[in-house]
Amino acid sequence: MSALDAAEILNRARAAGTVVPGFNIPYLPMMGPVVQALRDTDSFGLIAVARLEWEKFESRSLEAVAAEYGRVADARHTRLHLDHVPVIDEDNLTVDFEGIIARAIDAGYQSVMIDGSRLPLAGNVACTRTVAGMAHAAGIPVEAELGAVMGHEAGPLPPYEELFASGRGFTDPEEAGAFVRQTGVDWLSVAVGNVHGAISAARKNETKLAARLNVEHLRRIADRTRVPLVLHGGTGIPKPCILDAIRNGIAKLNIATAIRQPYEALKAQSVPKARQAVYDQVVTIVRDELNIEGNARLIRAALPVATGCAPCTVSHEPLTMNH
Ligand code: 13P
């Protein structure tokens, strides 16, 4: 299993009709419980950090996250992924994305994401091509985003029902097909009704809205791209929508708010309790929301299944984390 690279893991997940969750780490002590929960549920996940999590939260730096990963990783259950490296960030600042990607490759990240989605299409294509060249030279896959997955920006979202009904910002299926061909990107993050949880100081504790997904639209994107698709904004999407999305091309699902908020609620009182809350939440997500308990075995064996979730054959006793 340890020989499987991240690209192969997502390809196998997609072929098997399962999903690989990416869990974001805005606080370094959250990582150990995430890894342990993945191990205890025999599932596969990516340990992820986005630039905004070392800029605005407490994961310190991509190197600090890689060092913590080196301490707690389990190659049978995890890979290290660099999430959103924006070209223009949520505050409209220009980012040295090539410098960050180069540092991530040096630090041993096993996949990276370039986010040129705030640029016009040609700019998004150009930066994604550049990063795909860097990542592929280092032998790792690259994810990019096309369309607008909103939510990270300060201030309120436009009214969600209006956004969903109009399809404003949704990834265009034809454009997505051309984008994948022109850039050589391995995984594509799409906008089909999903939104990110808020991260601004004023709104980061809000309960996230229950976003829905236009799965017909997703299917059209999947038909034209034929690469594993990524769903950002995984917190709060109703389970039937998630399972339908997994059956229609989503092979990676990003989750941040659902584990960050329980950690933040308890960390001042007790870090062990906050870590236990993260562990419990990851077990619940894996077992009850994504139905992927046991999917590491499925991915290792690469058993072809047409659709649906991984078989749940691991016992369902309550698990407790050892601190
Ligand atoms: P949520 O905060 O909605 O789970 O989104 C996480 C995400 O997409 C990180 O890239």
Short mmCIF file of all heavy atoms in Angstrom, two decimals, residues 22 24 50 53 83-84 113 149 152 195-199 208 231-236 254-258 260, ligand 1:
data_model
loop_
_atom_site.label_atom_id
_atom_site.label_comp_id
_atom_site.label_asym_id
_atom_site.label_seq_id
_atom_site.Cartn_x
_atom_site.Cartn_y
_atom_site.Cartn_z
N GLY A 22 -10.56 14.75 2.45
CA GLY A 22 -9.39 15.53 2.82
C GLY A 22 -9.76 16.31 4.07
O GLY A 22 -10.74 17.06 4.06
N ASN A 24 -8.84 19.13 6.76
CA ASN A 24 -7.96 20.30 6.94
C ASN A 24 -7.50 20.44 8.38
O ASN A 24 -8.25 20.16 9.32
CB ASN A 24 -8.69 21.57 6.51
CG ASN A 24 -8.75 21.68 5.01
OD1 ASN A 24 -9.47 20.94 4.36
ND2 ASN A 24 -7.97 22.57 4.44
N ALA A 50 -4.38 24.38 3.98
CA ALA A 50 -4.46 25.46 2.99
C ALA A 50 -3.66 26.65 3.50
O ALA A 50 -3.49 26.82 4.72
CB ALA A 50 -5.93 25.87 2.81
N GLU A 53 -4.80 28.59 6.40
CA GLU A 53 -4.76 27.97 7.73
C GLU A 53 -3.45 28.23 8.47
O GLU A 53 -3.41 28.12 9.69
CB GLU A 53 -5.07 26.47 7.64
CG GLU A 53 -6.55 26.28 7.35
CD GLU A 53 -6.92 24.94 6.79
OE1 GLU A 53 -6.07 24.29 6.13
OE2 GLU A 53 -8.08 24.54 6.95
N ASP A 83 -3.65 21.99 0.28
CA ASP A 83 -4.95 22.50 -0.19
C ASP A 83 -4.74 23.94 -0.69
O ASP A 83 -3.61 24.46 -0.65
CB ASP A 83 -5.92 22.41 1.00
CG ASP A 83 -7.37 22.66 0.63
OD1 ASP A 83 -7.74 22.49 -0.55
OD2 ASP A 83 -8.14 23.04 1.54
N HIS A 84 -5.82 24.61 -1.10
CA HIS A 84 -5.78 25.95 -1.70
C HIS A 84 -4.49 26.74 -1.57
O HIS A 84 -4.16 27.27 -0.50
CB HIS A 84 -6.84 26.84 -1.05
CG HIS A 84 -8.24 26.43 -1.34
ND1 HIS A 84 -8.89 26.79 -2.51
CD2 HIS A 84 -9.12 25.69 -0.63
CE1 HIS A 84 -10.12 26.29 -2.49
NE2 HIS A 84 -10.28 25.62 -1.36
N MET A 113 -2.62 21.68 -4.49
CA MET A 113 -3.71 22.35 -5.20
C MET A 113 -3.30 23.78 -5.55
O MET A 113 -2.82 24.51 -4.68
CB MET A 113 -4.96 22.42 -4.34
CG MET A 113 -6.08 23.15 -5.06
SD MET A 113 -7.49 23.52 -4.01
CE MET A 113 -8.62 24.17 -5.24
N VAL A 149 -16.24 28.47 -5.94
CA VAL A 149 -16.72 27.90 -4.67
C VAL A 149 -16.55 29.01 -3.63
O VAL A 149 -15.46 29.26 -3.14
CB VAL A 149 -15.92 26.64 -4.27
CG1 VAL A 149 -16.49 26.04 -2.98
CG2 VAL A 149 -15.93 25.61 -5.39
N HIS A 152 -15.04 31.68 1.49
CA HIS A 152 -13.85 32.08 2.23
C HIS A 152 -13.72 33.60 2.35
O HIS A 152 -13.05 34.10 3.26
CB HIS A 152 -12.58 31.51 1.59
CG HIS A 152 -12.32 30.07 1.94
ND1 HIS A 152 -11.45 29.26 1.25
CD2 HIS A 152 -12.83 29.28 2.94
CE1 HIS A 152 -11.43 28.06 1.79
NE2 HIS A 152 -12.26 28.05 2.81
N VAL A 195 -20.45 25.37 -1.14
CA VAL A 195 -19.78 26.61 -0.70
C VAL A 195 -18.86 26.25 0.47
O VAL A 195 -19.12 25.30 1.21
CB VAL A 195 -20.78 27.70 -0.25
CG1 VAL A 195 -21.59 28.22 -1.42
CG2 VAL A 195 -21.69 27.22 0.87
N HIS A 196 -17.81 27.04 0.65
CA HIS A 196 -16.91 26.83 1.79
C HIS A 196 -17.53 27.36 3.07
O HIS A 196 -18.27 28.34 3.05
CB HIS A 196 -15.60 27.61 1.57
CG HIS A 196 -14.69 27.01 0.56
ND1 HIS A 196 -14.37 27.64 -0.62
CD2 HIS A 196 -14.00 25.84 0.54
CE1 HIS A 196 -13.53 26.89 -1.31
NE2 HIS A 196 -13.30 25.79 -0.63
N GLY A 197 -17.15 26.76 4.19
CA GLY A 197 -17.49 27.34 5.50
C GLY A 197 -16.75 28.65 5.68
O GLY A 197 -15.62 28.81 5.20
N ALA A 198 -17.38 29.59 6.39
CA ALA A 198 -16.77 30.92 6.59
C ALA A 198 -15.50 30.80 7.44
O ALA A 198 -15.43 29.96 8.35
CB ALA A 198 -17.76 31.84 7.27
N ILE A 199 -14.50 31.64 7.15
CA ILE A 199 -13.27 31.61 7.95
C ILE A 199 -12.92 32.99 8.50
O ILE A 199 -11.95 33.12 9.25
CB ILE A 199 -12.06 31.02 7.17
CG1 ILE A 199 -11.87 31.69 5.81
CG2 ILE A 199 -12.22 29.53 6.96
CD1 ILE A 199 -10.79 32.70 5.76
N LYS A 208 -22.72 26.34 9.62
CA LYS A 208 -22.67 26.42 8.16
C LYS A 208 -24.01 26.03 7.54
O LYS A 208 -24.67 25.11 8.04
CB LYS A 208 -21.57 25.50 7.64
CG LYS A 208 -21.18 25.85 6.24
CD LYS A 208 -20.21 24.90 5.62
CE LYS A 208 -20.33 25.07 4.12
NZ LYS A 208 -19.69 23.98 3.39
N LEU A 231 -14.88 17.81 -4.38
CA LEU A 231 -15.94 18.65 -3.82
C LEU A 231 -15.39 19.38 -2.61
O LEU A 231 -15.07 18.74 -1.59
CB LEU A 231 -17.14 17.78 -3.43
CG LEU A 231 -18.42 18.54 -3.13
CD1 LEU A 231 -18.98 19.18 -4.40
CD2 LEU A 231 -19.46 17.62 -2.51
N HIS A 232 -15.25 20.69 -2.73
CA HIS A 232 -14.87 21.51 -1.58
C HIS A 232 -16.13 21.88 -0.82
O HIS A 232 -17.25 21.77 -1.33
CB HIS A 232 -14.13 22.76 -2.04
CG HIS A 232 -12.71 22.48 -2.44
ND1 HIS A 232 -11.62 23.09 -1.85
CD2 HIS A 232 -12.19 21.64 -3.36
CE1 HIS A 232 -10.51 22.65 -2.39
NE2 HIS A 232 -10.82 21.76 -3.32
N GLY A 233 -15.92 22.38 0.42
CA GLY A 233 -17.09 22.79 1.20
C GLY A 233 -17.89 21.61 1.69
O GLY A 233 -19.12 21.64 1.71
N GLY A 234 -17.21 20.55 2.11
CA GLY A 234 -17.89 19.30 2.45
C GLY A 234 -18.75 19.36 3.70
O GLY A 234 -19.66 18.53 3.86
N THR A 235 -18.50 20.32 4.58
CA THR A 235 -19.29 20.40 5.83
C THR A 235 -20.73 20.78 5.53
O THR A 235 -20.99 21.75 4.80
CB THR A 235 -18.68 21.46 6.76
OG1 THR A 235 -17.34 21.07 7.09
CG2 THR A 235 -19.51 21.63 8.04
N GLY A 236 -21.66 20.03 6.11
CA GLY A 236 -23.06 20.46 6.13
C GLY A 236 -23.88 20.04 4.92
O GLY A 236 -25.08 20.28 4.89
N ASN A 254 -13.52 17.63 0.54
CA ASN A 254 -12.78 18.42 1.54
C ASN A 254 -13.64 18.78 2.73
O ASN A 254 -14.75 19.28 2.55
CB ASN A 254 -12.27 19.71 0.90
CG ASN A 254 -11.12 19.49 -0.04
OD1 ASN A 254 -10.89 18.39 -0.50
ND2 ASN A 254 -10.40 20.56 -0.32
N ILE A 255 -13.09 18.58 3.92
CA ILE A 255 -13.84 18.85 5.15
C ILE A 255 -12.96 19.67 6.10
O ILE A 255 -11.87 19.23 6.47
CB ILE A 255 -14.26 17.52 5.82
CG1 ILE A 255 -15.21 16.76 4.89
CG2 ILE A 255 -14.90 17.78 7.19
CD1 ILE A 255 -15.41 15.34 5.25
N ALA A 256 -13.44 20.83 6.47
CA ALA A 256 -12.68 21.69 7.39
C ALA A 256 -13.54 22.11 8.58
O ALA A 256 -13.26 21.78 9.72
CB ALA A 256 -12.15 22.92 6.65
N THR A 257 -14.62 22.87 8.31
CA THR A 257 -15.43 23.46 9.39
C THR A 257 -15.93 22.40 10.38
O THR A 257 -15.94 22.63 11.59
CB THR A 257 -16.63 24.21 8.77
OG1 THR A 257 -16.13 25.13 7.79
CG2 THR A 257 -17.40 24.98 9.82
N ALA A 258 -16.33 21.25 9.89
CA ALA A 258 -16.94 20.22 10.75
C ALA A 258 -15.99 19.71 11.81
O ALA A 258 -16.43 19.21 12.86
CB ALA A 258 -17.42 19.04 9.90
N ARG A 260 -12.99 21.69 12.64
CA ARG A 260 -12.39 22.88 13.27
C ARG A 260 -13.25 23.41 14.41
O ARG A 260 -12.76 23.72 15.50
CB ARG A 260 -12.17 23.98 12.23
CG ARG A 260 -11.71 25.31 12.85
CD ARG A 260 -11.48 26.41 11.82
NE ARG A 260 -12.62 26.75 10.98
CZ ARG A 260 -13.68 27.47 11.38
NH1 ARG A 260 -13.76 27.93 12.61
NH2 ARG A 260 -14.66 27.74 10.52
P1 13P B 1 -15.81 23.17 4.73
O1 13P B 1 -15.20 24.12 5.70
O2 13P B 1 -17.16 23.59 4.30
O3 13P B 1 -15.80 21.78 5.25
O4 13P B 1 -14.91 23.20 3.42
C1 13P B 1 -13.57 22.74 3.48
C2 13P B 1 -12.83 22.92 2.22
O5 13P B 1 -13.37 22.90 1.14
C3 13P B 1 -11.37 23.11 2.33
O6 13P B 1 -10.75 23.25 1.08
#
